Amino acid sequence: MNTITNRHGDTITVGQLWTDPAKRRAIRTLRVDAIEDNGSWGHRAICTVLYSHEIDTDVTTEPGRTVGIKIDSLHTTPAGNGYQLIHSARQAWADGARAKGWDTDDDWPYRSVVVFCDTCGGEAQADMLAHYREQAFAGLRAICNDYGWLCTDRGDWCPNCAPAVTR
């Protein structure tokens, strides 16, 4: 099931992004990944937490945790309380990122990065989930090292060129 309408008349669709009610002390951005029947409890949205910020401690957690939320709870009340559907996911993320002082040059947490071999120019490319460009490069370099690259603070070398550098 990819779409369902809750008892309030809100249409919940796989791929939507929602934020927690403002009264919570931890504000999360949630992506609906699936809708499942939870028996006598009704339907629930299986969501991935993309962003979470604890207001009291000012701690931001990394994305990835999965949570289940009752479909009828994904609703904004007439007073504006409750979960909020994010109509423009990129804009909402960029606004939150700017408020935290994050790098928002492409206003989305996915960074497309390329590591080039310093000897032959060979490349490794990936889209990395990171708040800062430096985090994305560090993640890709760690992956490259697992696949035979030599990535250090001195430079980056592909598997073909790395043996010559280490001699």
Side-chain angles (χ1 to χ4, degrees):
M1 174 180 309
N2 290 327
T3 301
I4 191 169
T5 301
N6 66 17
R7 68 183 174 96
H8 305 290
D10 299 297
T11 300
I12 314 303
T13 303
V14 170
Q16 283 180 333
L17 298 180
W18 291 79
T19 60
D20 279 312
K23 67 181 179 181
R24 288 180 57 112
R25 303 311 299 163
I27 304 299
R28 303 170 299 178
T29 299
L30 308 163
R31 181 186 64 224
V32 178
D33 293 327
I35 298 169
E36 65 179 32
D37 187 347
N38 202 25
S40 62
W41 292 94
H43 287 83
R44 69 180 181 164
I46 304 302
C47 303
T48 297
V49 178
L50 299 178
Y51 166 83
S52 180
H53 180 76
E54 176 65 45
I55 294 172
D56 294 333
T57 61
D58 201 34
V59 171
T60 300
T61 60
E62 291 298 318
R65 196 177 75 220
T66 302
V67 296
I69 299 173
K70 290 175 57 176
I71 291 295
D72 290 337
S73 296
L74 293 174
H75 172 71
T76 305
T77 67
N81 299 320
Y83 286 90
Q84 305 284 321
L85 176 63
I86 299 174
H87 295 284
S88 172
R90 283 182 180 263
Q91 188 59 49
W93 186 88
D95 291 346
R98 285 187 195 96
K100 293 297 297 169
W102 290 346
D103 166 17
T104 60
D105 56 351
D106 62 356
D107 80 344
W108 196 240
Y110 293 96
R111 311 286 183 177
S112 184
V113 291
V114 180
V115 172
F116 293 96
C117 176
D118 292 348
T119 301
C120 71
E123 63 182 60
Q125 179 178 1
D127 289 336
M128 304 297 291
L129 179 62
H131 297 302
Y132 296 99
R133 192 164 299 286
E134 294 79 19
Q135 287 175 321
F137 279 112
L140 180 55
R141 285 186 171 111
I143 292 169
C144 286
N145 281 333
D146 289 342
Y147 285 90
W149 282 65
L150 175 61
C151 298
T152 70
D153 56 352
R154 295 183 307 125
D156 304 307
W157 294 275
C158 72
N160 294 330
C161 300
V165 174
T166 56
R167 281 188 228 149

